[in-house]
Amino acid sequence: MRVFHELTRRGGLHGDPHPVRRTRADQARLVGKHVAGTVTRNPFLARGSFDSLVVPHPRKPGGVEVYTDSLRAALGSSALVLDSGINGTPLPDSRNLDFFTSAAGAVRSRKAHARCEEITAALEAATGVRVPIAALVAREVPKHARLRAVYRALLRRRRIKTVYVVVAYFHQHLVGAARDLGIRVVELQHGVISPYHLGYSYPGRPDVPDQPDELWCFGSYWTDVAELPAGMKASVVGASFISPLSPAEVAAKDPRSVVFLSQGTTGPALLGYAAALAAARPDLDVAFQLHPSERSTDYVAPAGVRLAAGNTLAVLAAATYQVGVSTTALFEGMVLGCRTAVAKLPGHEYLTPAIDRGDSALVSSPDALAPALSSLPNASDPATYYAPLRLPL
């Protein structure tokens, strides 16, 4: 995944998907928190006994982590919650291993891996982009091995029986440690799954090391949209944070409201679609909804376009139309009754299955959006994307 992000960023296809911006003072404060956390948030020292380990998502709009919220409530005190404060605010009463995470990546391997230059050259020949494979390997491989050992020790010490994790492909040291010990691993869906997602799509379903046993999905659409690794079972558990609108709520939507759903990778290009629509249809209320990782200072709003940074679900619940590229919010908007356009920008392929189902329409250029607006589709069966919550506990 890190190689892919470097490749698309250096090649100019995408921006940084989730940029982290810190001043030197921020970095110094973070180091202080890491050191203090070895005492105050150390999971090895947490009181009580635990059957489960839960790793939430770092993003918490309004202070709520929606993907594991219901699970944590159901598990109660039997769950040890491990929530990093490196790229977000940790949940109250959670623990973390941030000091160890930072320290594990601080010392890089000095051993040159013979195949790194070969892989770098092959990738450059295929794509025209040079990615520093050797530098990534020198950092990530030793870091993985060190953290895997730390997590093995933690799982043994706390006698964990099940690990629940969000974004498992960024926690492979934890997943690998659990697999080493024969501990069940469940991943909770957090975003779009597609045949093009490197974290989930393995054509032919090969055996892949360090993968979860189970993937708990929002709805039936996600269970077979990509070929998961061999041995990983997908099942529907639903979602507690979203549900379809009532007919009265749909009728109350603003017929003039169009929401563009930005994301770090394609935001500037998508803004061009918003500008073209605002120029062609000045009667519309055109909002450019920022991704949680973006800031209003990242953009200069064109005439007729306003930047918005409020609660995305509330914005979509009031809107009639939505436009985006590959963000999960497009599927949330479908559940909330929005007519959906997918801008033909890098990454739009993630929505190909939904387009093929007739639940959204691909728009080939900014100028093509205004004429297509009135014919944009609604999703025929939104529950296939987000079903009511049913935790199998």
Side-chain angles (χ1 to χ4, degrees):
M1 189 64 75
R2 296 187 190 281
V3 172
F4 170 74
H5 285 160
E6 281 294 317
L7 179 64
T8 55
R9 184 179 63 81
R10 290 168 180 262
L13 285 175
H14 289 164
D16 191 333
H18 305 295
V20 177
R21 313 169 214 208
R22 296 193 185 102
T23 64
R24 289 185 177 179
D26 292 335
Q27 292 173 340
R29 281 191 292 270
L30 193 60
V31 170
K33 287 182 180 179
H34 289 352
V35 174
T38 59
V39 176
T40 60
R41 289 187 174 272
N42 191 328
F44 285 94
L45 305 178
R47 294 181 178 180
S49 59
F50 306 98
D51 293 325
S52 307
L53 180 73
V54 179
V55 181
H57 196 285
R59 189 167 60 243
K60 303 171 182 71
V64 179
E65 195 281 326
V66 298
Y67 307 114
T68 66
D69 190 41
S70 296
L71 174 66
R72 285 182 281 110
L75 294 174
S77 61
S78 70
L80 174 62
V81 179
L82 213 60
D83 192 19
S84 173
I86 294 177
N87 292 325
T89 302
L91 293 167
D93 300 322
S94 65
R95 301 291 185 266
N96 63 56
L97 289 169
D98 288 353
F99 174 83
F100 299 94
T101 301
S102 296
V107 180
R108 303 188 180 201
S109 172
R110 295 185 180 182
K111 179 181 178 182
H113 293 265
R115 292 204 63 196
C116 287
E117 185 54 40
E118 178 185 339
I119 295 169
T120 299
L123 194 60
E124 185 174 12
T127 66
V129 180
R130 189 169 183 83
V131 176
I133 300 295
L136 289 172
V137 169
R139 171 183 166 84
E140 296 301 328
V141 171
K143 179 180 179 181
H144 173 88
R146 293 164 189 152
L147 287 176
R148 189 168 183 148
V150 171
Y151 276 93
R152 271 199 307 268
L154 175 65
L155 295 173
R156 280 198 196 101
R157 172 74 175 270
R158 304 314 315 210
R159 298 181 179 179
I160 298 298
K161 296 180 177 65
T162 303
V163 171
Y164 299 95
V165 58
V166 182
V167 200
Y169 53 83
F170 279 147
H171 295 280
Q172 285 185 303
H173 44 273
L174 168 58
V175 177
R179 305 299 281 162
D180 292 342
L181 300 173
I183 295 172
R184 173 182 175 232
V185 180
V186 177
E187 178 172 5
L188 283 75
Q189 184 180 355
H190 74 285
V192 174
I193 299 171
S194 89
Y196 308 99
H197 196 303
L198 296 183
Y200 302 104
S201 183
Y202 293 87
R205 301 206 67 190
D207 288 311
V208 182
D210 304 338
Q211 299 298 311
D213 299 286
E214 302 172 41
L215 177 63
W216 285 4
C217 299
F218 298 142
S220 59
Y221 170 84
W222 310 104
T223 60
D224 59 6
V225 71
E227 293 184 82
L228 300 174
M232 186 190 295
K233 177 185 176 183
S235 58
V236 176
V237 300
S240 62
F241 58 90
I242 189 170
S243 57
L245 301 182
S246 68
E249 290 171 322
V250 172
K253 280 175 169 284
D254 183 351
R256 299 170 48 256
S257 177
V258 185
V259 177
F260 287 79
L261 297 162
S262 182
Q263 53 196 122
T265 53
T266 55
L270 183 64
L271 189 60
Y273 275 75
L277 181 64
R281 293 286 306 273
D283 57 307
L284 296 175
D285 175 24
V286 179
F288 191 78
Q289 179 74 14
L290 300 176
H291 187 273
S293 65
E294 295 178 313
R295 300 174 182 173
S296 58
T297 52
D298 294 340
Y299 299 98
V300 175
V305 179
R306 59 183 176 85
L307 301 181
N311 181 285
T312 301
L313 294 182
V315 170
L316 291 172
T320 295
Y321 307 98
Q322 61 170 350
V323 187
V325 182
S326 60
T327 175
T328 313
L330 283 171
F331 291 93
E332 295 169 347
M334 292 181 204
V335 174
L336 296 173
C338 292
R339 296 179 178 272
T340 304
V342 178
K344 193 175 183 180
L345 294 171
H348 75 271
E349 296 87 353
Y350 271 44
L351 270 289
T352 298
I355 293 169
D356 291 344
R357 289 164 58 100
D359 289 346
S360 56
L362 184 65
V363 178
S364 59
S365 68
D367 291 338
L369 180 56
L373 202 65
S374 61
S375 61
L376 293 180
N378 286 113
S380 58
D381 185 7
T384 62
Y385 299 118
Y386 291 90
L389 183 69
R390 300 185 305 274
L391 288 175
L393 297 177

